[in-house]
Amino acid sequence: MSYVMGGAGKFKTKTLNSSTISSSTVCQDIRDISAVGESMDFGKIRKLKERCMLRSDIIREFLAELLGTFVLILFGCGSVAQTVLSRGAKGENLTIHFGFTLGVMLAVYIAGGVSGGHVNPAVSLAMTVLGKLPIIKFPVYVAAQFLGAFLGSSAVFCLYYDAFTDFSGGNLTVTGENATAGIFASYPRENLPLFNGFIDQVIGAGALVLCILAIVDQRNIGAPRGLEPLVIGLSIMAIAVSMSLNCGYPINPARDLGPRLFTAMAGWGKEVFSAGDGWWWVPVIGPMVGGVVGAMIYYLMIELHHPEPEKNFEDDRSLKDKYEMNAVN
């Protein structure tokens, strides 16, 4: 007995004797059953995908910014943790620069096609000021970025939990020889005035936003399509090798405050906010100001003066002739 397709997609039995059974018939029956099963499975998968797929743009953008910032912190702070906890045996300043450079690049690749891949409140604010991001989306982007940074720092801590314990004997300290709070958030070098640190962050974030606007400006040279994240990552490398002496180029409020909140909750305590004469607000406010300054500089000196595309009068005349002909007909 074998099974074959009947009407309305149902199976019906077919009695076969030994003289009618052949290997080709059996194989064909098996293929028919497999095809029906596969079509049913694909239908179920398609329906399940349609049910699970998010249709709200703002939620999709929230998740993209969250995941992108998570990846940025995972690779960036992860490179710092590997260097510090190995006492320089498994890393150095250059590997940290590469960690953040590649982290930003991959974060933008992950989120860029959905949300633009800001992964930085300073960038989101600059885009809002320029009218490139609706103001109603700004708080959503910022919330996603801070949450992603918080979760990313928690992942780094879980990844190196035993190494943290071995490094300082279980003592999580903010300052001193075995300080580990600097793995997650920035702290100023000794004797750095807050005002100098603030200017440092304004200049660093301004340079970053200015470069980003140039990279994505299609009416400028720009970057080849698909290579924008790579060039943005190289901009991070340029800032890292030239502006990291004072406080380590945080230039991203979410990248600094999110992990700082994590360290305050994970055992480092309130000292993460009081250290450096209350340094914590500098890498939060400074980049926001710098991002707006950098955006306005690029707009006023470059983008505002792009010539408007020349109209093709022959095409306009041709369209007018076609319209008149259609009207006559």
Side-chain angles (χ1 to χ4, degrees):
M1 181 181 292
S2 65
Y3 293 90
V4 296
M5 288 295 297
K10 296 181 179 180
F11 291 107
K12 67 179 182 180
T13 59
K14 177 181 178 182
T15 304
L16 301 175
N17 55 38
S18 59
S19 63
T20 60
I21 295 177
S22 66
S23 60
S24 61
T25 302
V26 173
C27 292
Q28 181 62 41
D29 291 343
I30 293 174
R31 285 195 293 267
D32 290 342
I33 295 172
S34 299
V36 173
E38 289 177 359
S39 63
M40 293 174 64
D41 289 341
F42 286 142
K44 292 179 180 179
I45 293 173
R46 191 179 301 110
K47 290 180 179 179
L48 180 61
K49 179 182 177 181
E50 291 176 355
R51 291 178 181 178
C52 296
M53 186 173 63
L54 294 172
R55 291 175 172 78
S56 173
D57 289 341
I58 193 65
I59 297 177
R60 292 171 57 245
E61 292 165 5
F62 176 90
L63 294 177
E65 287 294 312
L66 188 155
L67 183 59
T69 312
F70 174 88
V71 169
L72 164 60
I73 298 301
L74 181 65
F75 291 133
C77 291
S79 66
V80 182
Q82 178 170 291
T83 300
V84 172
L85 299 178
S86 68
R87 299 188 186 275
K90 299 294 183 180
E92 55 180 316
N93 285 338
L94 187 58
T95 61
I96 294 173
H97 299 337
F98 273 114
F100 277 105
T101 294
L102 297 175
V104 169
M105 181 189 74
L106 295 173
V108 178
Y109 269 120
I110 288 171
V114 180
S115 64
H118 297 178
V119 298
N120 185 338
V123 175
S124 297
L125 179 60
M127 296 302 177
T128 302
V129 170
L130 293 177
K132 300 177 185 294
L133 178 70
I135 191 170
I136 194 173
K137 291 185 177 183
F138 174 69
V140 178
Y141 273 52
V142 172
Q145 291 154 2
F146 275 103
L147 181 58
F150 185 92
L151 295 176
S153 57
S154 65
V156 172
F157 184 69
C158 292
L159 177 65
Y160 288 118
Y161 180 79
D162 290 335
F164 275 102
T165 302
D166 295 339
F167 182 82
S168 57
N171 296 319
L172 303 177
T173 57
V174 178
T175 58
E177 183 179 356
N178 292 326
T180 50
I183 290 174
F184 297 98
S186 68
Y187 293 88
R189 65 176 176 82
E190 189 176 357
N191 299 324
L192 177 70
L194 291 180
F195 180 74
N196 192 351
F198 181 81
I199 296 300
D200 175 282
Q201 289 303 286
V202 170
I203 294 175
L208 173 63
V209 170
L210 190 150
C211 291
I212 290 173
L213 291 173
I215 292 167
V216 301
D217 188 354
Q218 296 300 317
R219 292 192 292 175
N220 204 331
I221 295 176
R225 182 173 178 80
L227 293 181
E228 297 94 339
L230 173 62
V231 185
I232 291 173
L234 293 176
S235 301
I236 297 294
M237 175 62 78
I239 293 171
V241 299
S242 61
M243 304 183 192
S244 61
L245 174 62
N246 287 331
C247 55
Y249 66 99
I251 59 175
N252 183 336
R255 171 262 174 275
D256 196 87
L257 185 58
R260 194 183 299 272
L261 287 170
F262 170 77
T263 54
M265 298 171 61
W268 280 266
K270 297 180 180 179
E271 190 181 355
V272 299
F273 293 102
S274 60
D277 295 329
W279 166 263
W280 70 270
W281 65 270
V282 174
V284 176
I285 305 301
M288 301 297 275
V289 175
V292 173
V293 171
M296 296 310 300
I297 289 175
Y298 186 82
Y299 178 78
L300 293 175
M301 300 187 69
I302 302 294
E303 188 172 343
L304 179 64
H305 310 293
H306 284 320
E308 293 295 331
E310 294 183 2
K311 290 186 177 181
N312 192 327
F313 293 102
E314 292 183 359
D315 291 344
D316 291 346
R317 181 61 180 271
S318 177
L319 290 173
K320 183 179 179 181
D321 292 343
K322 289 180 181 179
Y323 174 78
E324 291 177 351
M325 186 177 296
N326 290 334
V328 171
N329 290 335

